[in-house]
Amino acid sequence: ENSQHLTDWYTFSHIIHGFGFYWIAWWIGRKHNWPIGFRFLIELLAEVGWEILENTDFIINRYREITISLDYYGDSVINSVMDVSAMILGFFLAWRLPIWVVIALTVAMEVLVVYYIRDNLTLNIIMLLYPFEAILKWQQGG
């Protein structure tokens, strides 16, 4: 039933998306003097784009084939809306907080989620791009 509720353990990953997208947009945008609103718009489009891609058969099947998410059927509409909202929260936190706080929050969220569900943004990316049997076995409790 993950990804069918307002929030789930992966909501933390979307907050981290906001952190990462903020820093990418800051790095590119400072060279071109992009205003914060334009950077935000680019990030919003990136996150909405990911939510659309994440709910395609290609990504759903990829999750089911090579990760522990054997029963993943995609996100509900409300979960996708909340994922985008979590990214927006991450964006504004990254914009306003010192970088050390953002880094500490990222590490804390990744550790918390991996402790409770044996998955997090880092493992999710690794397993989607280049799955490791050892990670899969560990995630399965082996």
Side-chain angles (χ1 to χ4, degrees), residues 18-85:
F19 294 165
F21 290 159
Y22 174 83
W23 293 109
I24 291 168
W26 172 83
W27 185 70
I28 295 169
R30 68 189 173 114
K31 295 178 182 181
H32 304 288
N33 202 25
W34 290 347
I36 193 72
F38 184 69
R39 294 178 199 178
F40 173 73
L41 180 61
I42 289 171
E43 286 191 40
L44 186 60
L45 292 173
E47 185 69 11
V48 169
W50 167 247
E51 285 299 316
I52 292 168
L53 180 64
E54 182 183 32
N55 286 287
T56 63
D57 287 341
F58 175 76
I59 296 295
I60 291 170
N61 290 333
R62 182 85 173 149
Y63 275 124
R64 292 164 111 187
E65 291 167 4
I66 60 165
T67 72
I68 60 169
S69 302
L70 301 176
D71 58 350
Y72 180 66
Y73 296 100
D75 293 356
S76 65
V77 172
I78 193 65
N79 183 264
S80 290
V81 169
M82 293 305 291
D83 287 348
V84 172
S85 299

Side-chain angles (χ1 to χ4, degrees), residues 95-106:
W95 180 35
R96 290 302 193 197
L97 295 174
I99 191 166
W100 71 268
V101 174
V102 173
I103 292 169
L105 286 171
T106 300

